[in-house]
Amino acid sequence: MTVTIHQVTYDSADYHRLFWIRNDVLRRPLGLVLQRADFPEEAQTCHLGALHDGVYIGAGCCLLKNGVMRASQIAVLPEYQGKAVGRLLMNEIISLARGKGAESVVLDARQTAFAFYEKLGFTYAGRPFTKLGVSHRTMILPLKKAPSARGRG
């Protein structure tokens, strides 16, 4: 299965497709509906889509603030879960973070996703908390800085 990751423009037709994937995977099972008001920085956020055979099958968001890349709303359609789509989305977020000189990638993971993020190298930061009625933990992936050219000789 070939999947490619693309950045999409906020408020474009592709953005709206990804928005509904996020809703269907992350909110609908909780009896909720995703609202733009839930994410006040949505317009400044980088939106990523996982594309397979011309159809979006996954979505993810990230926003760089104060040297930290915050990942959020990583969602893969159920029929494509377990097929490395989430890993591709997260690898792209990590790559973007490194490219922008971020010190770390941080996210709030649902309990059902702890093992997934641990496999990517994330560790726990803080105590469990409940959000939208679901147990979460903040997780962090420190990013190694490239060696400095100073001191080489």
Side-chain angles (χ1 to χ4, degrees), residues 84-103:
V85 177
R87 177 178 293 272
L88 289 171
L89 285 162
M90 285 307 302
N91 285 344
E92 182 64 18
I93 290 171
I94 293 165
S95 178
L96 287 168
R98 284 192 170 112
K100 293 180 182 286
E103 298 170 9

Side-chain angles (χ1 to χ4, degrees), residues 7-35:
Q7 288 189 36
V8 302
T9 303
Y10 173 72
D11 219 16
S12 67
D14 286 343
Y15 162 83
H16 290 283
R17 288 181 187 96
L18 299 180
F19 187 88
W20 288 110
I21 288 173
R22 292 162 50 198
N23 180 72
D24 291 348
V25 172
L26 300 173
R27 295 294 170 96
R28 184 182 289 173
L30 303 176
L32 302 171
V33 176
L34 187 66
Q35 304 287 328

Side-chain angles (χ1 to χ4, degrees), residues 4 12-13 25 36 47 49 52 58 60 71 82 105 109 115 133 139 142:
T4 55
S12 67
V25 172
R36 281 196 203 188
H47 299 277
H52 171 63
V105 178
M139 299 184 81

Side-chain angles (χ1 to χ4, degrees), residues 52-64:
H52 171 63
D53 285 343
V55 176
Y56 284 108
I57 61 170
C61 302
C62 60
L63 179 64
L64 181 66

Side-chain angles (χ1 to χ4, degrees), residues 132-143:
L132 303 173
V134 177
S135 179
H136 284 72
R137 295 239 1 222
T138 298
M139 299 184 81
I140 185 168
L141 177 69
L143 300 177

